[in-house]
Amino acid sequence: MTNILVLYYSRQGNTAKMAQLIARGVEQIDGANAILRCVPPVSQTTEAIESEIPESGSPYVQKSDIIQCDGLALGSPTRFGNMAAPLKYFLEQLSDIWLSGDLNGKPACVFTSTGSLHGGQETTLLSMMLPLFHQGMMLLGLPYPNTDLMTTQSGGTPYGCSHLAGTDSQRQVDTDERAMCIYQGKRLAQVASSLKNS
């Protein structure tokens, strides 16, 4: 099996929904398996201890999930044009994986959700790419042969999938955004499978 880790942080559920759609795309490829994981929130109170098991949604990620994956889809809501602090906090703890080179040469993609159309989707995607480049990963964008990218009136960028959630975070993933998420998952799984089997 080609194991694709779909790792995300989601506060309002929109990034989680995108992760599920990317996982659906992954599993449309024969021999590919999607593993959904999330990162825990970061508390402003240092004494607070987060439960080891989330109340709902995907299980929290373990370093073994990272090491054993054949490809990685990384997602975060936008925070002032950047990835959310919990995801960045987790990524900054991967120095040992960087030293071992466990992610070197593996494919990855990124995805995000924002409250407004010009709320920093592309800069957030780029911010998530930087640590993956340092890990030696090969970044896959969302290419223009995906015609939804040319006609979308909401989310979608050549750097990766995006979703316009609205200022109240209640706008559902629309048809174009859904298609792009599934396409990106399929593309990641196809490339990871080809690399693993070559």
Side-chain angles (χ1 to χ4, degrees), residues 29-165:
I29 303 304
D30 288 341
N33 177 47
I35 301 165
L36 280 162
R37 296 289 185 267
C38 66
V39 297
V42 175
S43 174
Q44 293 180 1
T45 306
T46 56
E47 294 82 17
I49 298 173
E50 190 65 35
S51 170
E52 291 186 14
I53 301 172
E55 291 181 19
S56 63
S58 304
Y60 290 138
V61 67
Q62 303 295 319
K63 281 192 180 180
S64 58
D65 296 320
I66 297 280
I67 293 166
Q68 294 167 8
C69 77
D70 299 304
L72 172 65
L74 190 65
S76 172
T78 291
R79 296 291 185 262
F80 300 105
N82 206 332
M83 75 178 96
L87 185 61
K88 188 172 189 293
Y89 179 76
F90 174 77
L91 293 172
E92 288 178 354
Q93 297 177 65
L94 302 183
S95 295
D96 54 339
I97 292 176
W98 172 70
L99 287 168
S100 67
D102 286 319
L103 292 177
N104 189 43
K106 294 179 180 179
C109 66
V110 292
F111 58 101
T112 191
S113 178
T114 60
S116 62
L117 187 57
H118 303 290
Q121 292 182 0
E122 293 182 346
T123 56
T124 299
L125 295 171
L126 293 171
S127 76
M128 287 188 286
M129 289 179 183
L130 297 177
L132 302 183
F133 278 126
H134 279 263
Q135 290 282 359
M137 300 195 83
M138 298 184 292
L139 276 292
L140 303 175
L142 188 62
Y144 281 99
N146 179 327
T147 56
D148 297 305
L149 193 58
M150 298 294 287
T151 59
T152 181
Q153 297 293 306
S154 53
T157 82
Y159 309 105
C161 297
S162 62
H163 164 60
L164 171 61

